[in-house]
């Protein structure tokens, strides 16, 4: 094979197509002296290893009313652009009673009230505005049927309905009258039926059949003030209401906290062999299964230490649980919330990872392992939902788990843009610095950093290579100088490639804000500068084709994520 050296220098980066000998230059002791780690990645573009389903296209939030506010609308537009018509959004509180004013971990639509003599009154105004906003931006609903309207709640007399929680309060402050079963199951079913009928009338049967429908949230935890059996009953009545209006509706659940333990075991038995509370028949229609998985960051020796191992072990336990019943083993699985920790609105030093590149690099490294775990467990993984959106009109970079702050994108959102550029055909790819799956499940990334890769072929035949540089500890570390060899390329060999990067110096509004002095009231020019700093700018790479191989070097800093697309 014959290679012509071409080196392209960009800000803080060296890239190249180089002769084989060049890959040996600057390695070993010389690189260690420079504070750079040598890494080798090899890709065989001629060897497909299966599919890479686009599971990343699911998002959600506690606060449904943020979707219709200025920054919420802007962010939904950006999410919809990732994969128009195939992005889904899940929100709590869609059936809550109230005037539609948003606040932390709260929302309302006033969808159901009653007259003085107990007759139902349905008001679709607020919930229509929310769903209209989704659909206008290429986002579809992942409809959570919850929580309980005040007029239907069986909460004891004197129980407050809207909670008074705010950041810093104990989490149990959020559990109020909305968390109880209905006092009339027929009225509960009829509400769900009427809402589904209304959605069909407004948006069309074919459109609504593309949505997901699930009941409640984490009923095995704080969100449910009753027994598991009472949840199964409420679930049956709700699903019966949906299916009575829309027989082909995509229904499932139960979106348990973690793998769900005995609660999930009971749910799986009930929906397969139990007696349906609403119909008297055996089982409950179930088109998909859902559970939640969270990590557990800590604050150690003055810095954040991520808990990716806990997160991935929860994913693995959920996969084992959802495939434990033969009748359901092939059902699609959605991880209905999958995040570094469990409370998007909660502050704290252990959550100080959220604004910068720790969150973005964690996202790349964790999604890669979730794909691997699904393959290992033979799970039909359909979605991995990131419970992160935005918090309207809050202080700049306030440290909430979100994708944007005051309308300016955070680095993590750009990683989802990189995911969107990947193909669905996975190619054989190895990195000699990627932490093995079993090791990261057991211990996380506490020794050498994880420099890993995923290679795919896109729908138009291009090779797209994702590379990340992750460590659990949010401390400085050496950059990685990565020698990349892509073999098995078909003719015509591409003569160019495009690079996108997310790291401390690229596509990062947080560092731009810090360089400004961290203003809490930035002027219009500073706002424009932060918006510009958040954008990924494609960098062209000139390739000189060999027989069937391309080689280049990539310098990737700690917490960096990069994507190279050949032939673009």
């Amino acid at each position: 094979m014959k290679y012509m050296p071409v080196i392209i220098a960009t800000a803080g980066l060296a890239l190249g197509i180089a002769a084989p000998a060049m890959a040996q230059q600057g390695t070993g002791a010389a690189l260690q002296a420079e504070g750079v780690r040598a890494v080798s990645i090899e890709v065989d573009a001629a060897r497909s290893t299966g599919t890479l389903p686009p599971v990343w296209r699911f998002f959600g939030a506690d606060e449904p009313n943020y979707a219709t506010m200025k920054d919420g609308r802007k962010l939904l537009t950006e999410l919809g652009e990732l994969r128009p018509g195939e992005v889904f959004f899940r929100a709590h509180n869609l059936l809550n009673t109230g005037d539609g004013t948003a606040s932390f971990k709260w929302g309302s639509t006033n969808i159901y009230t009653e007259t003085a003599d107990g007759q139902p009154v349905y008001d679709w105004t607020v919930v229509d505005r929310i769903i209209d906003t989704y659909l206008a931006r290429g986002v579809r609903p992942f409809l959570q049927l919850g929580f309980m309207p005040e007029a239907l709640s069986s909460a004891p007399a004197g129980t407050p309905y809207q909670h008074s929680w705010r950041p810093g309060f104990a989490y149990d402050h959020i559990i109020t009258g909305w968390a109880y079963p209905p006092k009339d199951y027929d009225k509960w079913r009829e509400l769900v039926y009427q809402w589904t009928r209304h959605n069909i009338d407004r948006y069309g049967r074919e459109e609504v059949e593309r949505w997901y429908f699930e009941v409640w949230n984490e009923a095995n935890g704080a969100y449910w003030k009753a027994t598991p059996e009472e949840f199964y009953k409420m679930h049956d009545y709700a699903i019966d209401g949906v299916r009575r209006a829309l027989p082909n509706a995509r229904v499932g659940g139960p979106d348990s906290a973690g793998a769900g333990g005995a609660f999930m075991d009971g749910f799986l038995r009930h929906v397969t062999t139990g007696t349906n509370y609403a119909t008297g028949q055996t089982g409950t229609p179930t088109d998909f299964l859902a559970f939640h998985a969270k990590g557990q960051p800590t604050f150690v020796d003055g810095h954040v230490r991520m808990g990716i191992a806990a997160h991935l072990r929860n994913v693995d336990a959920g996969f084992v649980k959802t495939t434990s019943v033969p009748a359901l083993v092939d059902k699609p699985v959605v991880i209905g919330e999958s995040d570094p920790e469990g409370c998007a609105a909660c502050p704290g030093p252990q959550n100080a990872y959220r604004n910068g590149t720790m969150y973005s690099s964690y996202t790349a490294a964790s999604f890669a392992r979730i794909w691997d775990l699904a393959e290992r467990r033979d799970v039909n993984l359909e979605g991995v939902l990131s419970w992160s959106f935005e918090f309207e009109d809050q202080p700049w970079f306030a440290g909430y788990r979100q994708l944007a702050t005051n309308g300016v994108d955070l680095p993590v959102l750009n990683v989802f843009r990189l995911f969107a550029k990947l193909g669905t055909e996975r190619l054989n790819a190895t990195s000699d610095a990627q932490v093995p799956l079993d090791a990261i499940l057991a211990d996380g990334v506490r020794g050498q950093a994880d420099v890993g890769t995923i290679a795919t072929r896109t729908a138009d035949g291009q090779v797209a290579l994702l590379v990340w540089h992750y460590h659990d500890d949010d401390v400085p570390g050496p950059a990685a100088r990565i020698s990349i060899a892509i073999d098995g390329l078909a003719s015509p060999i591409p003569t160019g490639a495009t690079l996108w990067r997310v790291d401390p110096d690229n596509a990062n509004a947080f560092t731009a804000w810090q360089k400004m002095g961290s203003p809490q009231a930035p002027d219009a020019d500073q706002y424009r500068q932060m918006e510009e700093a958040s954008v990924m700018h494609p960098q062209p790479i000139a390739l000189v084709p060999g027989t069937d191989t391309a080689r280049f070097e990539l310098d990737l800093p700690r917490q960096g994520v990069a994507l190279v697309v050949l032939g673009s």
Side-chain angles (χ1 to χ4, degrees):
M1 286 178 281
K2 184 178 180 181
Y3 305 102
M4 297 291 291
V6 177
I7 302 295
I8 297 177
T10 59
L13 177 71
L15 283 171
I17 303 298
M22 200 172 162
Q24 304 302 317
Q25 297 174 6
T27 59
L31 279 183
Q32 292 178 17
E34 295 176 29
V36 176
R37 181 185 180 192
V39 175
S40 176
I41 287 177
E42 296 182 355
V43 179
D44 185 351
R47 182 181 168 194
S48 175
T49 59
T51 60
L52 191 78
V55 299
W56 46 265
R57 56 196 168 86
F58 294 75
F59 302 90
D62 291 71
E63 302 86 2
N65 305 98
Y66 284 157
T68 61
M69 300 175 76
K70 63 183 188 311
D71 294 334
R73 295 192 304 270
K74 180 179 180 182
L75 182 53
L76 280 172
T77 298
E78 295 175 325
L79 295 182
E81 290 170 348
L82 294 173
R83 202 175 180 96
E86 297 182 40
V87 174
F88 289 87
F89 199 90
R90 176 176 179 255
H92 296 339
N93 301 306
L94 283 172
L95 301 185
N96 287 13
T97 303
D99 62 5
T101 300
S103 61
F104 285 112
K105 301 189 76 64
W106 176 258
S108 61
T109 64
N110 224 43
I111 195 170
Y112 181 92
T113 54
E114 292 184 357
T115 63
D117 61 352
Q119 295 303 305
V121 177
Y122 305 112
D123 185 347
W124 317 120
T125 305
V126 177
V127 75
D128 281 353
R129 189 179 306 130
I130 292 169
I131 295 176
D132 289 353
T133 303
Y134 294 166
L135 294 175
R137 289 157 178 81
V139 175
R140 288 195 157 93
F142 192 114
L143 278 190
Q144 181 189 124
L145 304 177
F147 296 116
M148 193 57 59
E150 187 170 18
L152 284 178
S153 174
S154 62
T159 302
Y161 183 73
Q162 181 174 351
H163 65 69
S164 58
W165 186 91
R166 63 192 66 208
F169 279 23
Y171 200 82
D172 59 6
H173 278 69
I174 74 168
I175 309 303
T176 47
W178 56 264
Y180 287 78
K183 57 189 177 185
D184 187 319
Y185 280 88
D186 288 326
K187 286 183 175 180
W188 164 250
R189 172 171 51 189
E190 188 67 13
L191 164 60
V192 175
Y193 168 75
Q194 292 293 342
W195 187 26
T196 307
R197 278 284 307 272
H198 169 76
N199 286 329
I200 295 168
D201 292 342
R202 186 175 181 84
Y203 305 111
R205 179 174 298 270
E206 184 177 348
E207 170 61 39
V208 181
E209 285 179 344
R210 298 185 66 177
W211 302 358
Y212 293 79
F213 293 82
E214 59 91 9
V215 183
W216 223 255
N217 179 71
E218 298 186 353
N220 60 323
Y223 284 77
W224 180 242
K225 297 293 287 184
T227 67
E229 281 297 328
E230 287 172 294
F231 171 78
Y232 307 152
K233 179 178 180 179
M234 183 185 67
H235 174 85
D236 285 352
Y237 273 80
I239 297 303
D240 187 54
V242 173
R243 281 292 185 90
R244 185 157 57 95
L246 188 64
N248 293 325
R250 180 161 48 181
V251 297
D255 274 276
S256 62
F263 169 86
M264 180 67 90
D265 291 334
F267 178 84
L268 298 176
R269 282 195 305 271
H270 179 74
V271 300
T272 52
T273 62
T275 300
N276 188 295
Y277 284 100
T279 68
Q281 299 174 356
T282 298
T284 307
T286 304
D287 299 312
F288 66 93
L289 296 169
F291 67 92
H292 298 173
K294 306 287 185 172
Q296 191 173 12
T298 55
F299 194 71
V300 180
D301 297 330
H303 70 271
V304 175
R305 172 173 287 169
M306 303 300 285
I308 196 170
H311 186 178
L312 296 174
R313 287 195 294 266
N314 282 329
V315 169
D316 196 39
F319 286 166
V320 171
K321 184 72 76 175
T322 53
T323 56
S324 62
V325 175
L328 301 171
V329 71
D330 294 324
K331 295 291 184 181
V333 171
V334 177
I335 307 176
E337 296 181 22
S338 180
D339 303 288
E341 33 67 36
C343 180
C346 296
Q350 75 279 7
N351 292 334
Y353 71 89
R354 293 164 166 175
N355 288 322
T357 53
M358 175 57 90
Y359 192 8
S360 50
S361 59
Y362 179 102
T363 298
S366 60
F367 267 82
R369 277 36 185 251
I370 293 170
W371 271 307
D372 289 345
L373 285 168
E375 182 179 11
R376 171 183 285 186
R377 298 295 187 184
D378 196 24
V379 170
N380 181 12
L381 183 62
E382 190 159 284
V384 178
L385 192 149
S386 298
W387 200 254
S388 48
F389 187 51
E390 65 100 19
F391 292 87
E392 196 85 15
D393 294 328
Q394 294 302 312
W396 283 89
F397 300 96
Y400 303 119
R401 192 175 69 240
Q402 55 189 350
L403 303 175
T405 178
N406 288 285
V408 173
D409 298 343
L410 296 179
V412 65
L413 181 54
N414 283 318
V415 171
F416 290 101
R417 292 187 171 107
L418 298 183
F419 289 161
K421 296 179 186 297
L422 292 171
T424 57
E425 179 189 356
R426 191 163 186 173
L427 303 177
N428 187 65
T430 60
S431 166
D432 64 2
Q434 184 162 328
V435 176
L437 180 58
D438 287 329
I440 201 169
L441 279 168
D443 302 314
V445 183
R446 303 293 168 85
Q448 287 271 48
D450 176 48
V451 184
T453 189
I454 290 175
T456 66
R457 195 182 329 275
T458 64
D460 57 2
Q462 297 174 332
V463 174
L465 181 71
L466 183 73
V467 185
W468 63 88
H469 188 176
Y470 169 76
H471 198 282
D472 278 347
D473 288 302
D474 190 9
V475 296
R481 180 157 300 162
I482 309 169
S483 297
I484 301 174
I486 303 177
D487 299 314
L489 294 169
S491 296
I493 306 300
T495 60
T498 303
L499 167 74
W500 288 266
R501 294 198 298 152
V502 183
D503 57 44
D505 297 318
N506 292 274
N508 193 331
F510 183 50
T511 53
W513 178 72
Q514 290 175 315
K515 290 175 182 177
M516 294 174 184
S518 305
Q520 274 304 321
D523 60 28
D525 186 58
Q526 289 173 316
Y527 190 96
R528 180 193 58 78
Q529 291 177 45
M530 285 189 287
E531 281 193 307
E532 173 61 23
S534 74
V535 175
M536 289 190 299
H537 295 286
Q539 302 172 11
I541 307 169
L543 307 181
V544 177
T547 303
D548 65 351
T549 301
R551 295 176 186 266
F552 56 93
E553 283 191 347
L554 168 65
D555 283 354
L556 192 64
R558 180 79 71 100
Q559 298 184 4
V561 184
L563 182 83
V564 177
V565 180
L566 273 65
S568 58

